[in-house]
Amino acid sequence: MKKWVFWFLVVFMVAGCGTNESVNGGETNVEEQMWKMLALTLEVEEKENALSFLFQVTNKGEEDVSILFPSGQQFEITVKNENQDVVYRYSEGKMFTMALITSELAPSETLTFSDTWNYKMLQPGVYHIVASLDAIEVNGEQVNKGEIKVEKTVEIQK
């Protein structure tokens, strides 16, 4: 009877382990999971002495997506010049509420964030723009703040 219990426990433990698709040598790649559920777009429009940003996050899955933010800041936009110097950061000089905020996205639903940077002087050149979600969890899975992002390069001519 002891053998029966032993083999039952072995089978139970093996069955409980199951198979789990993993990436990067056994570590779950959360960012890859996010891209399966979320589509990110960034539109940049140059106007006279201004850049307008439209950052959208769309649930392209078939189930609801829950996004948890650690504060009122739900996104970040950063602009760097050709030397990789930050010339603009959306959050700089702003204050945000300190409260957990959850956004629920139904299938095909979109979160839209926009910003306009009115610059006084900007040298002609190539600029690298990154728009990211400041989420800390997506569907209960922890993500690093700013990990879910889209990047774009624009050329400013005057």
Side-chain angles (χ1 to χ4, degrees), residues 85-116:
D85 299 320
V86 174
V87 295
Y88 175 72
R89 186 179 315 273
Y90 164 75
S91 62
E92 192 170 303
K94 292 181 172 71
M95 296 179 67
F96 300 94
T97 59
M98 296 303 297
L100 293 175
I101 297 173
T102 302
S103 289
E104 300 287 336
L105 284 177
S108 300
E109 191 174 7
T110 299
L111 280 176
T112 300
F113 306 102
S114 62
D115 183 39
T116 300

Side-chain angles (χ1 to χ4, degrees), residues 42-100:
L42 174 62
E43 295 177 26
V44 180
E45 184 180 349
E46 184 182 3
K47 298 179 181 177
E48 190 175 316
N49 292 327
L51 287 180
S52 290
F53 308 101
L54 181 65
F55 176 40
Q56 294 185 308
V57 180
T58 302
N59 176 0
K60 64 180 188 174
E62 296 179 7
E63 297 181 14
D64 290 357
V65 172
S66 176
I67 304 171
L68 179 65
F69 299 96
S71 72
Q73 182 181 3
Q74 297 179 16
F75 72 102
E76 181 68 86
I77 294 176
T78 306
V79 180
K80 294 182 180 180
N81 64 16
E82 294 177 78
N83 297 327
Q84 297 302 307
D85 299 320
V86 174
V87 295
Y88 175 72
R89 186 179 315 273
Y90 164 75
S91 62
E92 192 170 303
K94 292 181 172 71
M95 296 179 67
F96 300 94
T97 59
M98 296 303 297
L100 293 175

Side-chain angles (χ1 to χ4, degrees), residues 17 31 36 38-39 48 52 60 66-67 75 90 107 134 143 146 154 158:
C17 292
E31 184 174 349
K36 291 178 183 177
L38 302 174
E48 190 175 316
S52 290
K60 64 180 188 174
S66 176
I67 304 171
F75 72 102
Y90 164 75
D134 275 3
V143 296
V154 297
K158 287 192 175 186

